[in-house]
Each structure stands twice: as structure tokens, then as C-alpha cells.
Amino acid sequence: MRASVLPGPDLADAALCCAVCGHRHALAELAWRCGACGGVLDLAGFTSVIPPVAVLSGRPATLWRYAGALPIAEPADISLGEGMTPLVSAPDLPGVLLKVDYLMPTGSFKDRGAVVLTALARQLGVPRMIADSSGNAGTAIAAYAARARIPCEVYVPAATSPGKVAQLRAYGATVRQVPGSREDTAAAAMQAAGQPGTFYASHVYHPFFLHGTKTYVLELWEQLGGRLPTVLVLPAGNGTLVLGAYLASRELLAQGLISQLPAIAAVQAAGCAPLASAFRRGLAAPDEVACEETIAEGIAIARPARGAQILAAVRETGGTIVAVSDDQVRDAHAGLARAGLYVEPTAAACWAALRAGLIDIGPVPGDRPRAVAPLCGSGLKSKPPDS
Ligand SMILES: [Zn+2]
């Protein structure tokens, strides 16, 4: 392995700590959920140090410029140049900016978490990685596993489109097609994850993924001259971007680099909105809802494993969780394309919520933007909403 580009953190005290009961696992145990109670694991024993803006300006234009805030050093031969995506103005909404995360190496924001997770897999010397996803997360993990020369298996529902399967195979991943639902696919992956030496590169369960998605907000903060917008509008299925954004906002606040947390406004698809329903009803955990098919398939998650954390994070920031209909997503998708921005339907959900006025973004701003939303996945990765 080549030397790191920038110094990495001391991980001697780092561990995975259960969010429910506090039980700890060493990183090398390759645990993906709590061995005592089954709860989700967070990263403990790591202190983020966000570099000052003056130092950042001389660093390479990748997310690894935030060394010190990331729980692992950059392995120079794994990076695909991910990060530092552009910010552009939104069509027809003053004070709203869009962050063009579909310009990441595999076409979605998931590269932020996948590269950090794969860097850990490489450092631990694991013989193989597995992932489960029918969409952007699986593609991202497969690409970085290929880059790191770690054998990778990706579990996908049997109904996954041939184009996505072809992309996974092109990266060299072994594709396991599982009959039944998305939940059946996850169950098959979890069973395989129990085999010794297997690194379950789960974007949902592994907290290193969230420390990668954190860079979305660190970049925003830097790009806006050391400020954040009033509202962060973010898609929420499994909530990996919501939780990463929350982590970054907390770290910026703790280090005195911002004076208040931005409100997080999470957006779900109306056909599958367990978090929006729980938020509305004041519940601490995702609501039990029936899920229908939606064109925003990337956020259609009936039982998000980190749902309680997402709800708590949004409430702490004074934010909200809303749901948009397929018609609203379809219109937003078309509107973005007419403004030169071709995204997958899921990536239009946040814009749909803003356009529909579902999110209070305050008055026209003085010195900071009212809201920023990500364009999180490329339109070239999925079928158009009207096909
Ligand atoms: Zn536990």
C-alpha cells in the first residue's frame, strides 16, 4: 500500500459502539450490528478535527482534503477523485442552491461513503467485501472494491434492471440475484455477511459510510465561505446523507466553525414514507406503513434501520420530514432537465418538495443561502420517469 497523501487519524481507540446498549466491537471484528442486542453501530473513540479554511485552500480538490475530519487516511491508489462537486443556482427559487453530486465518479453521492468504507476494508486487509443494493450504493461499492482489488459480491433483487447488473459485472463484482423483495435480498446478504473474513460493506449499517457522506456538508461549508444555509434539504430512504449531514453539522458546531445547526428537511416519497409519518405523529421510530411502488425508488425504504437516529437528528435541528407524490417528482424531474440538470427521478424529490413549498426556507437571505439540496444521482443511471 502506498503512503497516505495527508496524515490520517490515530485509530488506536476507535471502535464500533452500539447506539442502543453501548456494547463495543473492535473494527477488526468486522461487526455490522451489535452482537449483544442487534442495534445499529456508531463510531466511537475518534475525534474529528476539521481543518481551517485557510489550510484547505491548498489541498487537492477531493473529499480527502478533509483529512483530520475523516476516520481513515486516504489510500492514494483507491481514490477516483471523488468530492468537491459544484454548487449551482436553482431555477426560479432565489437563495436556493443545488449541489451537483451526480458528477461523482460512479454518478451518485454514494461514492462519498463507499470510498471511506473501502479504505477501511483495505486497511483491515479483508479477503472479500459484500454489499446489497439494487442501485447507487452497490455500484459505488463495486467500483471502489475494483479499484482496491478486493473481491466483491453484490446481492441484488432478481428484478434489478439488466443495465445495472451489467455495470456491476463490468466492475468485476460477482452479482448474486435474489428472488423476491428488496428485504429478501438484504436477508441473503446478511446471511453471507456472517461468514468469517467477510466485510459487509453496508451503506446502511457501517458508520464509516456516514463519516464519508459527512463530506457533503463539509464541502458546502467551505464553498459558502465558512457558512451553511438555513436549511439542508436532503433525501431520506435509509438516511445515509441525512445522518452524514447531521454528523458534519454537529462537528462544525462543536469546533466553533458555525454558530447554529442548519435545519434538516428530509424528503421521502409519499408512496413509502415511514419517517414522514412518524415525524408527523411524534413517534420516536419509523411508522409501520404500507409501501407502494414509486418512481423515487432510491428512497423507498419501508423499514430504515437507522430510522430512530434520523428522526432524532431532524428534530434536534428544528427541521422537518415531508413527502412528495410521484406527480410532483415527475414535474420536478422535467423542470430540472429543462434547466440543464439531468438527474434520476429520486434525485428530483428534494427539488419537488422545495418547488411545492413544503419546506419553510425563510425570507430572502442577506448573507447566506436559504436552502441547499443535492442532485444526488445521474439521470443516465435509471430509466426516465415516464417510461
Ligand atoms: Zn447493543
Side-chain angles (χ1 to χ4, degrees):
M1 190 160 101
R2 278 196 277 159
S4 299
V5 175
L6 291 164
D10 178 2
L11 283 177
D13 297 327
L16 303 182
C17 180
C18 177
V20 178
C21 77
H23 183 75
R24 284 187 175 227
H25 290 275
L27 292 174
E29 287 179 54
L30 308 185
W32 57 272
R33 65 181 170 192
C34 175
C37 79
V40 291
L41 300 172
D42 293 327
L43 179 60
F46 161 67
T47 303
S48 164
V49 180
I50 299 166
V53 170
V55 170
L56 287 169
S57 62
R59 292 188 173 182
T62 73
L63 58 79
W64 296 102
R65 68 203 275 108
Y66 304 108
L70 296 174
I72 195 157
E74 176 187 359
D77 47 356
I78 289 180
S79 175
L80 291 165
E82 56 285 327
M84 287 311 277
T85 54
L87 267 179
V88 300
S89 60
D92 306 325
L93 265 187
V96 177
L97 299 172
L98 303 171
K99 188 157 167 65
V100 192
D101 254 28
Y102 67 76
L103 293 179
M104 297 290 272
T106 76
S108 87
F109 81 93
K110 293 287 204 309
D111 292 355
R112 298 182 182 278
V115 70
V116 172
L117 199 46
T118 306
L120 175 65
R122 164 69 80 77
Q123 183 164 310
L124 294 172
V126 302
R128 67 179 174 282
M129 298 166 65
I130 66 167
D132 61 301
S133 160
S134 61
N136 295 331
T139 310
I141 293 289
Y144 285 100
R147 186 78 168 167
R149 299 182 187 280
I150 300 172
C152 179
E153 285 178 21
V154 182
Y155 288 73
V156 302
T160 299
S161 70
K164 285 179 180 171
V165 172
Q167 188 182 6
L168 290 167
R169 289 203 171 114
Y171 286 134
T174 301
V175 180
R176 306 281 187 208
Q177 291 175 289
V178 182
S181 68
R182 179 67 184 84
E183 283 74 26
D184 294 327
T185 297
M190 288 173 190
Q191 194 171 18
Q195 293 166 9
T198 301
F199 183 85
Y200 184 21
S202 170
H203 60 291
V204 181
Y205 286 98
H206 206 296
F208 267 57
F209 197 95
L210 306 179
H211 282 265
T213 58
K214 224 166 65 171
T215 58
Y216 172 83
V217 161
L218 297 181
E219 286 176 20
L220 265 185
W221 166 76
E222 185 186 356
Q223 289 171 318
L224 295 174
R227 295 168 304 169
L228 287 178
T230 311
V231 184
L232 295 170
V233 186
L234 298 164
N238 278 308
T240 55
L241 196 49
V242 168
L243 291 172
Y246 171 73
L247 272 174
S249 301
R250 284 294 305 259
E251 290 176 7
L252 286 162
L253 186 67
Q255 292 174 45
L257 297 169
I258 55 173
S259 57
Q260 65 182 93
L261 291 176
I264 291 177
V267 181
Q268 296 216 281
C272 189
L275 296 167
S277 177
F279 185 84
R280 204 169 45 243
R281 297 180 58 205
L283 306 179
D287 203 358
E288 304 263 336
V289 296
C291 279
E292 306 160 2
E293 250 188 54
T294 163
I295 58 170
E297 58 181 7
I299 49 173
I301 306 293
R303 286 178 288 281
R306 293 187 182 271
Q309 291 183 321
I310 297 165
L311 286 159
V314 168
R315 288 183 174 125
E316 183 184 330
T317 67
T320 186
I321 307 180
V322 300
V324 288
S325 70
D326 274 14
D327 281 346
Q328 288 172 318
V329 171
R330 206 174 274 115
D331 287 350
H333 181 269
L336 286 171
R338 301 267 159 71
L341 300 160
Y342 191 53
V343 299
E344 63 179 311
T346 302
C350 289
W351 180 237
L354 281 162
R355 269 180 30 136
L358 300 179
I359 297 166
D360 178 11
I361 57 174
V364 174
D367 66 341
R368 67 172 181 164
R370 302 152 81 191
V372 177
L375 302 176
C376 50
S378 167
L380 301 177
K381 289 171 72 86
S382 64
K383 61 183 186 203
D386 48 0
S387 69

